[in-house]
Amino acid sequence: ASFLLLCFRSPLLTPLIFGLLLQAPLIQLSTITQPNFVLLLADDLGIGDVGCYGNHTIRTPNIDRLAKEGVKLTQHIAAAPLCTPSRAAFLTGRYPLRSGMDAVNDYRVIFWNAGSGGLPPNETTFAKILQQQGYSTGLIGKWHQGVNCESRNDHCHHPLKHGFGYFYGMPFTLISDCQPTETPEMDRAFRKKLWLSTQMIGLITLTAVLGRLTGLISVQWKALTCLTVFSLLFFISWFSSYGFVRYWNCIMMRNHGITEQPMVTDRTTSLILRESISFIERNKHKPFLLFLSFLHSHTPLLTTEKFLGRSRHGLYGDNVEEMDWMVGQVLDAIDKEGLKDTTLVYFASDHGGWLERQEGERQLGGWNGIYKGGKAMGGWEGGIRVPGIFRWPGVLPAGTVIDEPTSLMDIYPTVVHLAGGAVPQDRVIDGWDLLPLLRGAVVHSEHEFLFHYCGIHLHAVRWHQKDTGAIWKAHYVTPIFSPPGAGACYDRGFCPCFGEGVTHHDPPLLFELSQDPSEAKPLSADTEPLFDTVIRNIGRAIEEHRRTLTPVPEQLSVSNVVWKPWLQPCCGTFPFCWCDKEGDN
């Protein structure tokens, strides 16, 4: 009593005590068992596209509300700059090359539903562990981790084989080929070469036949027949896949069954939202994990009429604003069911915005704010620094901003720990449990080094020097922008990882990100006294990291990514694959 009297007599302590009494206390984690998880992952969304990350022209009030009510991460890093490898890392908590989900060639993502590559069955996703802990687990939206291995219905890479008890969405990814009115997007340059080759072979064949008929060329009919058959087989060999991309790749599934082939894009958004809310309502009386993997904001930017023309950034801005509205609908569903205080909500993007995605004067890709580069660039910040927001009322302090290096791979151990599970001990897990950092129990992230890959090629390394707070980043390989100085590879459509389209740096380019987040001013031994020390420390970290890598089958090898007709998911009798089971709903 005498202590309290002394405190209230002190003019300095009195306001402090009243402030502590007025502030809502954080709940002890020991009183909460198995919270719900709603993981919201955008597709191709740039960090500069969101209001709470500095965009003042695209309206994202619901995402901004998440940040206001929760914790915003300003240095949240994707493990890869493209969909397939980034999502593999997100699901497994491991760099994608550990599971064979990063590329040795130019095919850096899953290219076909009928390819044989995908997330290996021996990988343990966080969904699988939560399912073992008694959770209802659901994936709504994009998968892009493969479907089959050896036969059309083995579904060895399917979400239901990786711990999700319910799946509704695209086993592939949204592409412009899914929209009949849009210019084809998939392998566009290669398809042009195939068309040109077909025309040349056809012209040669026709010239030879006409020459034989007119007597100008002396050639046997047997040889002409063989040439004609070759021309026809060459055309069939590629047109049977690329000529029907919309039917082969643009499909919707519910669990193991196909519901739409091809998908009816006009209703995709409403169906995904309906399925997400329905999953929450069905599972409100038991712990659940909902992974809502948005098709927004990937081209062709499916946007309902209600949102067309609303933003100041054309179709792309309209699409982002619609996704934000969807986030709001999901949050409202959580509130309606009284689950707000027992649900951890997470929002992020799988990688940076696609700068090169343009059609004429239309910019169809995202914006990465002050950060250099974008999608497909493994080293530059614009390709890998993404929004990262957590909300859990009463557990995580509202309105908190954390400027520490974190990774999408950290979701794995964080979610597993909160669900009462244990991460696998028979493999390397690269993510760290974020809860102590999010709650303010620790000041620094557990990440000392982060390795930034482009395919299997190490492009850059980040070193968080915790004693000084410096964040060093060394670039060993960077893409060559085209045109020069443009900030992206507009002439190619994507920046490459290796070959003539990159520059190797020895010594590496070095930046101090806390002072130069835009990576505009590379340091040197002449301008930075610690240059040699930093490069040596990063070099030792690379050697240690490489000792943890073990050879695994390459899931994105050419033999695994090519279209195989016997693996093609089909809701009819192949090749007559067509159905619409949502049409009556």
Side-chain angles (χ1 to χ4, degrees), residues 82-88 99-103 105-120 142-148 157 170-175 186-187 248-249 298 554-557 560-564:
L82 285 174
C83 307
T84 296
S86 175
R87 289 161 183 268
S99 57
M101 291 294 282
D102 232 338
N105 50 50
D106 288 328
Y107 292 96
R108 298 163 56 188
V109 298
I110 299 289
F111 254 70
W112 298 96
N113 279 326
S116 54
L119 191 63
K142 169 176 174 171
W143 175 236
H144 210 191
Q145 298 293 301
V147 182
N148 298 314
H157 303 305
M170 290 190 75
F172 191 59
T173 181
L174 196 60
I175 50 176
M186 186 171 159
D187 240 354
W248 301 153
N249 280 347
H298 199 293
E554 298 169 4
Q555 297 299 321
L556 301 182
S557 65
N560 276 331
V561 300
V562 296
W563 183 73
K564 301 178 178 68

Side-chain angles (χ1 to χ4, degrees), residues 369-373 380-381 511 513 515-521:
I370 65 171
Y371 304 108
K372 181 181 292 187
W380 296 120
E381 288 292 281
F511 300 91
L513 294 182
Q515 302 296 322
D516 182 20
S518 300
E519 299 173 287
K521 301 173 183 177

Side-chain angles (χ1 to χ4, degrees), residues 41-45 78 80 83 86-87 142 348-352 386 408:
L41 192 64
D43 196 3
D44 284 19
L45 180 73
C83 307
S86 175
R87 289 161 183 268
K142 169 176 174 171
S349 178
D350 55 356
H351 51 71
V386 297
L408 266 69

Side-chain angles (χ1 to χ4, degrees), residues 428-446:
V428 176
I429 300 296
D430 297 297
W432 291 91
D433 182 359
L434 285 178
L435 203 62
L437 181 67
L438 297 175
R439 284 175 60 83
V442 299
V443 177
H444 292 301
S445 159
E446 293 286 348

Side-chain angles (χ1 to χ4, degrees), residues 278-290:
S278 175
F279 182 85
I280 294 171
E281 294 171 345
R282 292 197 309 269
N283 295 285
K284 60 186 176 183
H285 297 303
K286 52 189 173 183
F288 66 82
L289 161 73
L290 170 61

Side-chain angles (χ1 to χ4, degrees), residues 37 45 49 70-71 87 94 97 100 153 156 169 177-178 226-227 326 395 406 471 483 495 502 574:
F37 301 100
L45 180 73
D49 293 326
V71 179
R87 289 161 183 268
R94 291 151 51 82
L97 77 166
N153 295 310
C156 67
D177 303 69
C178 299
C226 290
L227 183 60
M326 294 173 72
V395 178
T406 58
I471 300 171
C495 283
V502 303
F574 185 83

